[in-house]
Amino acid sequence: MGDHSLGLTNHAHRRLPTTGALMSSRELQWWSPVIVSGWWRLDLMGPRWKGKEAEAKALANPISKIVSQLQSSLIQTDSQGILSGSSLILGATPEQTELLNHACFGRPIITSDKNKQWFQLSMEEAFYLCYSLKCIKITVKEDNLIFDLPQLWNYMKIKRETFPNSFKAYSHLRAKNWVVRPGSQYGVDFVAYRHHPSLVHSEYAVLVLSEGNGDLNDRLRVWSDFHCMLRLCGSVAKTLLVLSVDQNGNGVNSPCCLERYSIEERTVTRWSAEQCREDQKVAENGTK
């Protein structure tokens, strides 16, 4: 996919009902707007760059390059993070501080230590650096023992039941070179940026749902949930992206199961018939 598109899965277009009825997973699967022939249209938000030079700066220094540099630097220094509750504390050299900031991993912690910067990472960020990039080791605050991957996996599952699906969605977007940040301020799991937030606004508000065994977060269960979420996304110029994670019967016993999980991407947007009719009329007049 690269930095230019998300490679979304398309299904047939259906109008959004206004009733408060519960939706089945099949109804959610089929209600997925797409661009089709004729005058129906899907208004996906494009990138909104911050300034005239922002796009050129992003192209000159892609996220994939920054993450690769960060990975190499953390491996060279044999970096270790310390688990503290539901987050990870990671020390960084001046070079790593710059790379962590540019790659958008964690948030800096202000301390009096001028020789070393500390970052607080979410569980998804920590596990991505440890499991996917294999560039940090993780210890426990109490006894300073290094966790192996099964121990770390079990720790994070205990801390949050939805972690396996949440991490699968996070790593899915990160692997496609999207910058992924927490989305709680918008009522979603994540927001996805094409590049660093200082250069571009986020394009997608991301909800992670569970296929097969029901949604552990119990969201988007009624049509009114869709209406509210779409109104919110529209007001902040973002496209709602629903990532449905299917464990395919593999369970959550070990991180090896992640390779057998599958993800289906769906973008959801409001459809304005009046606006489409007007657009077609303008297009017809332009051809006469």
Side-chain angles (χ1 to χ4, degrees), residues 96-226:
Q96 292 167 351
T97 295
E98 184 177 0
L99 291 170
L100 284 165
N101 281 326
H102 287 173
C104 292
F105 282 100
R107 61 181 183 87
I109 300 173
I110 299 176
T111 67
S112 58
D113 188 351
K114 297 182 179 180
N115 298 319
K116 196 168 190 178
Q117 176 68 62
W118 296 89
F119 282 78
Q120 183 178 17
L121 279 68
S122 69
M123 293 198 298
E124 288 82 6
E125 291 171 326
F127 201 74
Y128 188 76
L129 292 177
C130 181
Y131 172 75
S132 300
L133 299 187
K134 297 177 174 55
C135 58
I136 65 169
K137 297 172 183 174
I138 295 179
T139 64
V140 187
K141 186 176 182 180
E142 290 76 14
D143 49 24
N144 206 34
L145 292 176
I146 295 177
F147 264 10
D148 60 24
L149 280 176
Q151 289 175 317
L152 182 60
W153 176 256
N154 289 329
Y155 176 93
M156 293 187 171
K157 282 194 308 177
I158 292 171
K159 285 296 180 182
R160 193 168 74 238
E161 184 184 6
T162 59
F163 175 77
N165 288 352
S166 178
F167 175 75
K168 180 65 179 180
Y170 175 89
S171 60
H172 176 77
L173 294 173
R174 269 291 185 179
K176 294 175 180 287
N177 298 320
W178 288 85
V179 169
V180 187
R181 302 298 286 168
S184 56
Q185 68 190 85
Y186 302 113
V188 294
D189 296 299
F190 305 112
V191 286
Y193 296 80
R194 192 169 292 256
H195 206 277
H196 194 278
S198 65
L199 298 178
V200 66
H201 294 278
S202 58
E203 290 177 50
Y204 293 98
V206 184
L207 276 179
V208 182
L209 303 184
S210 304
E211 282 286 340
N213 59 345
D215 179 29
L216 296 174
N217 294 310
D218 199 31
R219 295 171 300 181
L220 299 185
R221 294 286 294 165
V222 295
W223 290 113
S224 58
D225 291 347
F226 266 106

Side-chain angles (χ1 to χ4, degrees), residues 5-42:
S5 67
L6 199 60
L8 299 172
T9 303
N10 293 334
H11 293 280
H13 176 86
R14 290 192 175 185
R15 292 290 303 276
L16 185 65
T18 57
T19 65
L22 288 173
M23 290 186 299
S24 66
S25 59
R26 181 171 294 275
E27 286 177 307
L28 174 58
Q29 177 182 2
W30 275 103
W31 195 87
S32 186
V34 297
I35 301 174
V36 295
S37 59
W39 49 267
W40 288 5
R41 186 177 62 134
L42 176 64

